Amino acid sequence: MAVSAMMMIQLSAALSVGLIEKVGSGGTAWLRLTMGALLFMLLARPPLRWIRRRDLAPLLALGAASGLMTVAFLAAIERIPLGTAVAIEFLGPLTVAGLRSGSRRMLVWPVLALGGVAMLTEPWQGEVDPVGVGFAALAGLGWGLYILLTQQVGDRFSGISALSLTIPIAAVVAAVVGVPQAAGSIDLKVLLIAAGLALLAPVIPFGLEMLALRRMTHTAFGTLMALEPAFGLLLGLLVLHQVPSAVQVVGIVLVVLAGAGAQRRGLRAAPDPPEPDGPAGVQTT
């Protein structure tokens, strides 16, 4: 289930390239997030009455980080290969894992991944797209913030209830650049494609990840997630016909190894249990 979730996320990214050509990367991000928000709100009514004043800042920040991550990543794959973009983006969560471990030795993994990224971008060839790399790095920053904020918000709102709150915020953030790009190009076909892409990511993968986490430890799950850059490379090859060089394949292997190694101390203390009078999926403490 975890592997299926990763494959669907990367397939959604690869298939988004066609929509990007029609409505732009910002427009694609906005439409995907908007469709995803509608689907999540249909699946779970947003628990608005349980939001406290101190919940507002992390909820807004998580939604903004989600929007930033999506817009920046789609802008990156418009300019650089999918596998390369995923690997660069992956530096965000790797850096978070290294810094939060409390051990300087753990910082070796982001450094190893950075070496892998250098092999992927091959700057010595003189063909690096600095704008694409910059967008992928910005997406990595968004992913790192997303991880930190998800843990904070997840201690109050769990499962779909959290996404029914944050994905609409992400859609509003993406609308800033998405609406101007997509204006005049939206028709029924575009809306149907955006809805299908939203099902591929994040709606169905999130459900699969929840089911997978019931059957495996968070550390094992995180280690498996380290394969995501490899899946990005694979889907880029199969769907977008982006053929990597031998050096780039070695670079992806280094990034995957770094991601797996960073999970060695990936455990997190469990939050306080919810009080018995709280609603399903929402903690009242």
Side-chain angles (χ1 to χ4, degrees):
M1 287 184 286
V3 169
S4 296
M6 286 187 287
M7 291 291 285
M8 293 179 79
I9 289 170
Q10 296 308 318
L11 179 60
S12 177
L15 295 177
S16 291
V17 172
L19 190 57
I20 289 172
E21 294 175 356
K22 187 171 181 62
V23 297
S25 55
T28 301
W30 169 59
L31 288 170
R32 270 180 49 180
L33 288 169
T34 299
M35 291 298 179
L38 292 173
L39 290 169
F40 278 124
M41 287 190 290
L42 287 173
L43 292 171
R45 182 182 301 175
L48 299 176
R49 62 191 293 256
W50 295 98
I51 298 176
R52 302 171 304 186
R53 182 176 298 178
R54 65 181 181 181
D55 294 327
L56 288 175
L59 282 171
L60 290 171
L62 179 55
S66 302
L68 170 68
M69 179 172 59
T70 305
V71 171
F73 182 73
L74 291 180
I77 65 173
E78 188 178 14
R79 294 166 174 82
I80 61 178
L82 176 61
T84 302
V86 177
I88 295 172
E89 184 190 31
F90 201 57
L91 292 174
L94 271 180
T95 302
V96 169
L99 293 175
R100 298 193 71 187
S101 68
S103 171
R104 292 183 179 179
R105 293 181 180 179
M106 293 296 288
L107 294 177
V108 70
W109 303 117
V111 174
L112 178 64
L114 187 61
V117 166
M119 298 181 75
L120 278 163
T121 54
E122 298 182 314
W124 51 85
Q125 298 285 356
E127 299 179 357
V128 178
D129 186 326
V131 176
V133 171
F135 276 126
L138 187 60
L141 174 63
W143 194 355
L145 292 173
Y146 175 87
I147 291 172
L148 295 173
L149 292 165
T150 295
Q151 291 179 348
Q152 184 177 353
V153 171
D155 290 345
R156 277 280 294 144
F157 307 92
S158 63
I160 296 177
S161 65
L163 289 171
S164 68
L165 293 169
T166 59
I167 297 300
I169 297 170
V172 171
V173 171
V176 175
V177 294
V179 171
Q181 286 187 13
S185 301
I186 300 176
D187 53 27
L188 180 59
K189 181 180 179 181
V190 167
L191 292 176
L192 290 174
I193 293 173
L197 292 173
L199 282 173
L200 283 174
V203 179
I204 295 177
F206 179 76
L208 291 174
E209 288 176 358
M210 285 197 300
L211 292 172
L213 280 166
R214 293 177 183 175
R215 292 164 172 81
M216 60 197 304
T217 66
H218 283 269
T219 301
F221 181 82
T223 302
L224 192 60
M225 287 292 111
L227 291 171
E228 193 143 358
F231 287 128
L233 189 74
L234 177 63
L235 267 298
L237 172 63
L238 296 178
V239 178
L240 302 174
H241 310 293
Q242 297 170 342
V243 181
S245 66
V247 173
Q248 290 175 321
V249 171
V250 174
I252 279 288
V253 170
L254 291 180
V255 174
V256 170
L257 290 175
Q263 295 298 320
R264 293 176 58 194
R265 297 186 182 182
L267 298 175
R268 174 174 176 257
D272 295 332
E275 293 180 1
D277 60 341
V282 180
Q283 294 186 10
T284 59
T285 53

